Amino acid sequence: MIPAGPTKRNGPATRIPEATHVETAVEYLRKEQKRHLDELIELCKIPSISTKPDHADDVRRAVEWTRDKCRSAGLTAEIHETGGHPLVYAEWCGAGDDAPTYLVYGHVDVQPEGDLKLWDAGPFEPTRTGDWLVCRGSADDKGQVLLYVRAAEAWLQTEGRLPINLKLLIEAEEEIGSPHLEPFIREHAALLKCDGILISDTGLARDGQPAITRGTRGMVYKEVFLSGPKHDLHSGQFGGAVQNPANALAAMIAALHDDDNRVTIPGFYDDVVDPTEEDRAQIRALGIDDEQFAADLGVPALWEGERGYTAQERRSIRPTLDVNGLTSGFQGQGANTIIPARASAKLSMRLVPNQNAAKISKAFDAHIRGLCPPGVRMKLTTHGAEADAYVTPSDHPALRAAVRGLREAFDQEPVQLREGGSLPILPMFKEALGADCVLLGFASPNCNAHGPNEKVNLPDLDRGAEAIARLFAHLAAS
Amino acid sequence: MIPAGPTKRNGPATRIPEATHVETAVEYLRKEQKRHLDELIELCKIPSISTKPDHADDVRRAVEWTRDKCRSAGLTAEIHETGGHPLVYAEWCGAGDDAPTYLVYGHVDVQPEGDLKLWDAGPFEPTRTGDWLVCRGSADDKGQVLLYVRAAEAWLQTEGRLPINLKLLIEAEEEIGSPHLEPFIREHAALLKCDGILISDTGLARDGQPAITRGTRGMVYKEVFLSGPKHDLHSGQFGGAVQNPANALAAMIAALHDDDNRVTIPGFYDDVVDPTEEDRAQIRALGIDDEQFAADLGVPALWEGERGYTAQERRSIRPTLDVNGLTSGFQGQGANTIIPARASAKLSMRLVPNQNAAKISKAFDAHIRGLCPPGVRMKLTTHGAEADAYVTPSDHPALRAAVRGLREAFDQEPVQLREGGSLPILPMFKEALGADCVLLGFASPNCNAHGPNEKVNLPDLDRGAEAIARLFAHLAAS
């Protein structure tokens, strides 16, 4: 159920003098740290694994718990049914029409626990280890979602109001690809109308070092199936006469990069905007030591990659094409002398801002068809949605407000990251609501999200709650 | 146990006037066809599957049955223990020192039955269907081994002697790669001394069309393992910075052929003797219709392959390099966005006469190492023995004798084939005994050896026995 009526409620329209009020809210947060931790532990105990149908009730419990917590914080909150797991919509829109309106997006569903033997304690038995809370969902994304509830509560309980109009959209299907999120957003575009979107589902640059994730890459994922003879052939009797699908596939994949390690798909780079000196400076500022980076990954050397760009640029602000899987012929132990009947490859491209995923997808298909030799047949599949890259505009007011909030709470200048992965919801939000996203994350780089012993650093979480409380004030002033 | 003493026994040294005596032997064969078929059925009922340890007793039974059959045919015969399954050595060496001595090689072990649902009757319940006997081992190689026993019996029962000294080496480990054959041959080189070796473990060119397999290709089989990062990486976070082992492997495989589809390994073609016009004429004489050939295999077109050679030449008298298997990354349904930690390929090369397998093996290793980029580590494995190609010398007396025997028995000129597959025992026999092999086979091209419903054409078998009885006479006269 969604509250009916206008999304901006009446209320005092005067600006709040931030300097005084925010300190009261921050003081409240500090006092309530212990209780807020207990609440996080409560939520983490619920095994809200969205991929497992037998955990559907747990997912619902986590959603209900979140609704109740929003209400006790002083927000209005309702559960909304979708075709799958329900979601929570909460808001406090009493800051008036002159105040900006921000939408928070997060999720309370979690990944499966994986191999239980790899966990030191039960994955849903939150365990305190020094400054850390170990538990599935502690970092991704329960701990981070609750920061907004804590910050809202701090303002509402101390000042009786928020400096901005705040909307929260907390779903429970993120770990299964958010199948019902986009339809919900499109259907409720008026309700969700906002000046910007705040998301905390990313991480710090390193422990204690705040970061804003400025952009993500887009993605197109393809699978190429080649078939040759109707069944595997004796490589002695037919080798030389018959096009070997595995050899053909290797040649086709090899032809997707040129000698400068640039992707050969015609038009692939046409719309790519060259990184600005600022983009490159931000990456240099991260100060990643390539040698240490290679050693940590266990590779003998980093890839020489696309000529003209550093490894750290190539993994974040340049488009790439990678094979994700290869399958053909005999894969057992030892030798089997066959010409395989079939060979297939999974391939994905990471795209950068201004590249159009749909256009790249078509260009890939045409290019790979042209590379397919006459002796084999080809079938092409696209997996998942074609997602564009996304970058937060550098002049977005929430970006400046987030920088200030993070700086004050962490006593450190936040760095701005460009993330190489893909978050299809970012361009989707932009397209459906016309609003930009600001990503400020508080998970540790070694939080082990999706893995065993997922954990969150509690002092970082506490600083995160403070950063968000301060961010609200800066947004009001922006 | 092997009979001690000299391998050539005393006996009348006069040449047998072939024209009269061979017809008596052939007449005997025709009279005894029904009994010989019953004997084949008896042997085929024994499930002598050498790959399955629980069939070891059956394998021994088949070997004992063969020894007994050789004895009842008039040969001396003994079973010899090896480290694995036993073998039979039989002989009749009473033709005198002036007569040539020929060694027959064959095997009485069989492939597993495979999927029983694909068989019309039990794989070890020989079934007569028109001119065909359907049963595992009927074509490969029990039916063909017995032709020599039948022909020897015909001579010994009608003339009391053979026109040549005959030795039979019948093993029971062929389907597991003959692990104990070479040691046995080297240890018993004096016993096995001969002027040539006769092998019937190949096929007719088509039903009713006799063929001599003049040569086989050699083989070198490699597996290339690439490893990059210590575990699979997120392709978004690391794509561009890290060398993708699957992409690298594809590029390395692609680089193994040039634009003319020639293998790029330095020195690969150095020792290749260009086919003679006669070699090429023999292949043309087979009259294989490439379009029909492609249609039968289910490929949209034959490979364009090495420039300057026809498809039928490329699959028999030219060296090749084929991928036999590819493995990397995510192979399940759908998408998984990883940079795989590992990628591997099984690759084999078929070699032609005068190429040295050991030299090619080394050249491959050096070449592939040179192709391996710095961002991945490589490991190389060689599977199986490195086998040279083999070609029966065109002036071998047994070749001419076989042509005559086949021509007379089949009333058709035999064709000479170059087989693209590999038979490592041929160069091994040559090296260990200094003797050449002549391969005359009687299996139908669609006999389905190793597959379900393996079958043999009985009239072709009967003509085969006659051809061998006549071959004995022609060998004596050669």
Side-chain angles (χ1 to χ4, degrees), chain B residues 37 40-41 44-45 118-139 446-448 451-458 461:
Chain B
L37 171 59
L40 172 59
I41 289 171
C44 281
K45 281 181 175 168
L118 300 175
W119 287 82
D120 294 337
F124 296 103
E125 295 164 18
T127 310
R128 181 79 185 263
T129 311
D131 278 347
W132 299 86
L133 183 71
V134 182
C135 177
R136 168 65 78 232
S138 57
N446 61 351
C447 71
N448 231 14
N453 295 321
E454 175 179 343
K455 63 182 194 274
V456 76
N457 183 282
L458 297 172
L461 268 198

Side-chain angles (χ1 to χ4, degrees), chain B residues 53-310:
Chain B
D54 56 338
H55 281 273
D57 287 349
D58 295 318
V59 175
R60 182 171 293 274
R61 269 205 295 141
V63 168
E64 288 170 350
W65 187 97
T66 305
R67 174 199 59 195
D68 295 346
K69 193 52 54 192
C70 287
R71 285 179 177 170
S72 72
L75 302 159
T76 61
E78 298 295 342
I79 288 173
H80 184 89
E81 299 299 330
T82 72
H85 298 299
L87 56 75
V88 178
Y89 175 76
E91 66 168 32
W92 186 90
C93 286
D97 288 348
D98 287 351
T101 300
Y102 275 85
L103 174 66
V104 171
Y105 164 79
H107 66 94
V108 288
D109 61 317
V110 298
Q111 282 277 320
E113 57 277 65
D115 186 351
L116 286 173
K117 290 194 290 292
L118 300 175
W119 287 82
D120 294 337
F124 296 103
E125 295 164 18
T127 310
R128 181 79 185 263
T129 311
D131 278 347
W132 299 86
L133 183 71
V134 182
C135 177
R136 168 65 78 232
S138 57
D140 178 19
D141 185 37
K142 290 173 175 174
Q144 302 207 60
V145 162
L146 289 188
L147 300 182
Y148 291 88
V149 183
R150 285 163 73 171
E153 179 194 296
W155 276 96
L156 291 169
Q157 299 305 318
T158 55
E159 298 296 320
R161 64 189 314 287
L162 285 168
I164 57 169
N165 298 303
L166 188 69
K167 301 176 176 185
L168 277 75
L169 178 62
I170 315 296
E171 70 153 329
E173 291 192 326
E174 200 267 351
E175 301 293 4
I176 53 172
S178 304
H180 298 95
L181 186 66
E182 184 171 350
F184 178 85
I185 290 168
R186 293 196 182 277
E187 197 183 329
H188 299 92
L191 178 74
L192 300 172
K193 191 167 183 303
C194 59
D195 298 303
I197 296 156
L198 305 171
I199 301 177
S200 293
D201 195 13
T202 51
L204 300 163
R206 48 184 171 274
D207 291 339
Q209 167 64 63
I212 292 170
T213 300
R214 270 288 306 291
T216 56
R217 291 195 282 192
M219 186 161 69
V220 169
Y221 199 112
K222 297 283 179 182
E223 191 157 6
V224 179
F225 300 88
L226 297 189
S227 62
K230 52 189 172 189
H231 48 70
D232 293 347
L233 295 178
H234 190 291
S235 69
Q237 288 171 18
F238 299 98
V242 171
Q243 186 121 38
N244 182 316
N247 284 71
L249 183 67
M252 290 165 66
I253 293 169
L256 293 172
H257 286 94
D258 67 14
D259 290 344
D260 289 333
N261 291 321
R262 283 168 66 90
V263 175
T264 55
I265 299 166
F268 189 75
Y269 295 95
D270 280 2
D271 301 324
V272 173
V273 177
D274 271 339
T276 62
E277 188 38 50
E278 193 200 335
D279 291 330
R280 304 185 81 162
Q282 277 169 0
I283 290 169
R284 280 196 301 274
L286 296 176
I288 296 174
D289 174 345
D290 277 355
E291 224 164 286
Q292 188 58 48
F293 182 71
D296 290 347
L297 297 174
V299 294
L302 292 184
W303 190 34
E304 52 196 13
E306 188 191 0
R307 188 170 294 194
Y309 298 92
T310 68

